[in-house]
Amino acid sequence: MYSLMSQFIRTIGLCISFILVTICLPALGQTLPGCIDYEDYLSHVGFAPTPGDAMGIAIENDLAYVVDGQSLLVFDISLPQTPSLVGSLDTFYGTWGIALTGNIAIIADGDAGVVVVDVFSPESPTEIGSIYTQGYAYNVTVQDSLVFVADGPMGLRILDISIPETPIQIGEYPTVSDLKVVAVSGTVAVVIHERNDRSASEGRNPTTPIEVGRGHYRGGADGGSRGKRRRV
């Protein structure tokens, strides 16, 4: 079951919007000078269809890199009202997530694992490396030369892409249910999987993550009614 956001993205393809939010803390009944109340702070300004279900996006300058379940699509969004497709790359499996580091795009490619793509020329993105992760790669995030992969039933995988053509696995953290999402801040990775609470972990040494805590949230990793959060 997809989340409501996934369903929304599938419906509109790629939607370019601006979000303008102003937070003011005046005394009761007062308005601070220069404080604007944006009643309609979310404005739809442009649209671009995607052949498949738009599942992930990363933005660098005036380019939006979108994975739509079957390919990588590169859009020029310098004119947000009329985003235009400038390049694409087909993949053999389901593209779910994407992260950028320099001129390299890291794609979570489902059963195929992780694919490394050179996007120096956005008109012609080129696959330059890949690694089979043994699970189902749903999501990726990058920190320096490390890639953290939410690898479905195989849990968290940590890859070294210092040589993009030959990524290697240097660490892992198993989970007892499908791992769907990962985000990293410093030495801590927050991961979300479908069910079963377990300890959180810390990754000061990415080859041997250790448990440091645990958490629970209402709602599933894919929009269901159950889910857990942990840090690795």
Side-chain angles (χ1 to χ4, degrees), residues 81-222:
Q81 297 81 1
T82 56
S84 58
L85 181 65
V86 297
S88 64
L89 175 68
D90 291 335
T91 62
F92 294 104
Y93 296 90
T95 50
W96 284 79
I98 183 171
L100 296 175
T101 175
N103 294 319
I104 298 295
I106 310 299
I107 297 176
D109 200 25
D111 285 324
V114 171
V115 175
V116 183
V117 178
D118 185 339
V119 292
F120 179 78
S121 298
E123 301 82 5
S124 55
T126 305
E127 181 179 334
I128 59 173
S130 65
I131 182 171
Y132 176 58
T133 53
Q134 299 182 337
Y136 193 96
Y138 283 103
N139 182 249
V140 289
T141 190
V142 180
Q143 185 179 76
D144 300 324
S145 62
L146 297 179
V147 175
F148 298 80
V149 185
D151 199 33
M154 301 305 293
L156 177 69
R157 301 289 188 173
I158 304 174
L159 311 178
D160 183 345
I161 59 162
S162 54
I163 303 177
E165 294 80 6
T166 55
I168 59 173
Q169 179 176 315
I170 61 171
E172 63 182 34
Y173 178 76
T175 56
V176 295
S177 61
D178 279 7
L179 185 63
K180 298 291 186 70
V181 180
V182 58
V184 175
S185 176
T187 62
V188 174
V190 179
V191 300
I192 300 174
H193 68 86
E194 289 185 331
R195 60 186 182 275
N196 296 317
D197 200 5
R198 287 192 54 179
S199 297
S201 302
E202 184 179 38
R204 293 181 187 275
N205 181 350
T207 61
T208 55
I210 59 173
E211 297 181 353
V212 294
R214 66 182 63 185
H216 173 75
Y217 68 92
R218 297 182 63 182
D222 57 358

Side-chain angles (χ1 to χ4, degrees), residues 3-84:
S3 67
L4 292 178
M5 179 58 72
S6 296
Q7 296 175 18
F8 175 71
I9 293 174
R10 293 207 329 267
T11 301
I12 67 171
L14 171 66
C15 177
I16 310 301
S17 301
F18 290 118
I19 300 177
L20 303 176
V21 179
T22 300
I23 298 176
C24 304
L25 299 173
L28 184 63
Q30 297 181 355
T31 300
L32 293 177
C35 181
I36 301 174
D37 182 12
Y38 289 96
E39 182 178 356
D40 298 320
Y41 58 86
L42 179 63
S43 301
H44 172 243
V45 298
F47 170 83
T50 59
D53 299 338
M55 305 300 294
I57 185 171
I59 295 177
E60 180 71 22
N61 298 322
D62 290 332
L63 296 175
Y65 298 82
V66 180
V67 288
D68 72 342
Q70 59 193 31
S71 59
L72 167 65
L73 306 169
V74 185
F75 290 90
D76 182 341
I77 56 172
S78 56
L79 296 176
Q81 297 81 1
T82 56
S84 58

